[in-house]
Amino acid sequence: MRAIEIQEPGRPPVPVERDAPEAVRGETLIKVTAAPVTPLDLLCASGTSYFGRPRTPYVPGVQGVGTVEGEPVWFATSAGMAPGDGSMAEVARVPEGSLVRLPSGVDPVAIAALGLSAIAAHQALTWRGELVAGEQVLVLGAGGVVGQAAVQLARLAGARRVVAGARSAAARERAELAGADAVVTLDTEDVAELAARFAAVADGPIDLVLDPLFGVPAAAAARTLRPGGRLVNLGSSASETCPIDSATLRGKSLRLLGYTNNELTPEQRAASLALISEQALLGNLSVTHESLPLREAEEAWRRQREGSATGRIVLIP
């Protein structure tokens, strides 16, 4: 079968021919139809992540979409985090508990592009952030895949107003297309200035911030929260540290919450995917994406690493 391999940590993947895997008890073989290239894939393959140096060679891909006996499924793998292979091949072998059945008619590329990013956005907003209909939400990094999904999912959950923050012109356009009511440019390291920009377009204090950035944007967003407001952090694209001042935290009794998909139960993940698939079928949920053949994985890898991809890149075996 066709696949790509990470043969040395820190190096791009290479196309290879492999024997197709054979399933053992408790496992399922999936005919892969779409495999996204994500930041987590690059992190795992770097050999410098908190998961440790991966055993090589291995097939990367921490998630994918495919079919089992002709029925569509989404699946997760531990490729790069533990010994074993991932989704970037014609056939993947996964534990039965790692797949979720999808409704008929879903676009596999669109679902692969949403995948774990949309699951994170949904659970961070609802389970961790306890979003209530009628609240006002601020989404940072709203031009990214998590951010685009969060803008739409906040609206679907009943948010009365969704404010977005994004850096580049292209990212701001993606946030607008996702349905944000207002988009703030994240082009300053001045916390007070950025907080004033958020406040100027918000309809009063913010109830909930979804933050995949941390750093200055998170510190500024915290200043816009109402007393008892919540900030859910699920990434550090801007910085590993954040200059949130103690007076803001204490004066408003804010709640700063961490989020990771690793804490989800299989039931939570399946429930999110059911909602995501349903809304995608209805045309209410999508993120910017493109597809490339598996043989162009090295190019996809390079563009993801450099940040030059226009959206999520999905490989088609």
Side-chain angles (χ1 to χ4, degrees):
M1 69 170 185
R2 288 172 296 176
I4 65 169
E5 279 184 349
I6 299 295
Q7 297 181 341
E8 182 182 347
R11 304 288 297 174
V14 296
V16 296
E17 288 288 333
R18 279 183 159 218
D19 292 334
E22 297 182 3
V24 298
R25 188 180 186 89
E27 294 181 330
T28 301
L29 292 181
I30 298 171
K31 182 179 180 181
V32 180
T33 52
V37 179
T38 71
L40 180 56
D41 293 309
L42 271 66
L43 176 65
C44 291
S46 70
T48 60
S49 80
Y50 48 86
F51 299 112
R53 186 180 177 89
R55 183 184 300 174
T56 54
Y58 77 94
V59 174
V62 298
Q63 60 181 313
V65 175
T67 59
V68 175
E69 298 180 348
E71 297 298 317
V73 298
W74 176 91
F75 63 97
T77 85
S78 58
M81 296 174 274
D85 295 319
S87 62
M88 297 180 190
E90 292 183 294
V91 179
R93 179 178 64 191
V94 300
E96 292 174 355
S98 296
L99 61 85
V100 177
R101 303 282 174 174
L102 297 173
S104 299
V106 295
D107 178 349
V109 174
I111 297 300
L114 286 159
L116 288 169
S117 294
I119 291 171
H122 177 242
Q123 292 288 345
L125 286 168
T126 58
W127 169 58
R128 201 75 174 110
E130 300 177 353
L131 175 60
V132 175
E135 289 190 318
Q136 183 172 211
V137 177
L138 169 56
V139 177
L140 300 176
V145 177
V146 171
Q148 291 175 66
V151 169
Q152 297 165 82
L153 289 164
R155 183 76 69 203
L156 290 167
R160 64 180 173 85
R161 185 170 178 81
V162 181
V163 175
R167 183 175 294 275
S168 70
R172 296 194 298 273
E173 182 179 0
R174 291 193 293 270
E176 290 174 356
L177 289 174
D181 293 294
V183 182
V184 170
T185 304
L186 306 180
D187 63 353
T188 178
E189 292 297 302
D190 186 323
V191 174
E193 165 63 21
L194 193 51
R197 293 183 192 179
F198 290 142
V201 299
D203 180 21
I206 300 290
D207 298 289
L208 172 64
V209 174
L210 186 132
D211 167 39
L213 303 181
F214 216 44
V216 167
R223 294 191 182 188
T224 70
L225 284 166
R226 64 166 171 80
R230 297 95 67 202
L231 184 150
V232 181
N233 174 261
L234 63 165
S236 55
S237 296
S239 176
E240 285 290 338
T241 60
C242 179
I244 295 179
D245 58 281
S246 176
T248 297
L249 285 176
R250 293 179 294 108
K252 295 185 177 182
S253 296
L254 299 183
R255 294 164 59 195
L256 301 186
L257 306 164
Y259 174 86
T260 171
N261 276 341
N262 293 335
E263 291 296 318
L264 296 181
T265 65
E267 291 76 20
Q268 286 175 305
R269 191 167 63 186
S272 282
L273 276 168
L275 173 71
I276 289 162
S277 300
E278 177 187 6
Q279 295 302 325
L281 275 171
L282 292 172
N284 296 329
L285 182 61
S286 64
V287 294
T288 304
H289 63 274
E290 62 178 296
S291 60
L292 290 175
L294 189 64
R295 65 179 179 273
E296 296 182 23
E298 185 174 354
E299 172 69 8
W301 210 262
R302 179 188 64 78
R303 290 173 57 199
Q304 175 65 49
R305 184 182 64 245
E306 294 175 352
S308 60
T310 56
R312 178 69 78 228
I313 302 176
V314 180
L315 299 176
I316 308 299

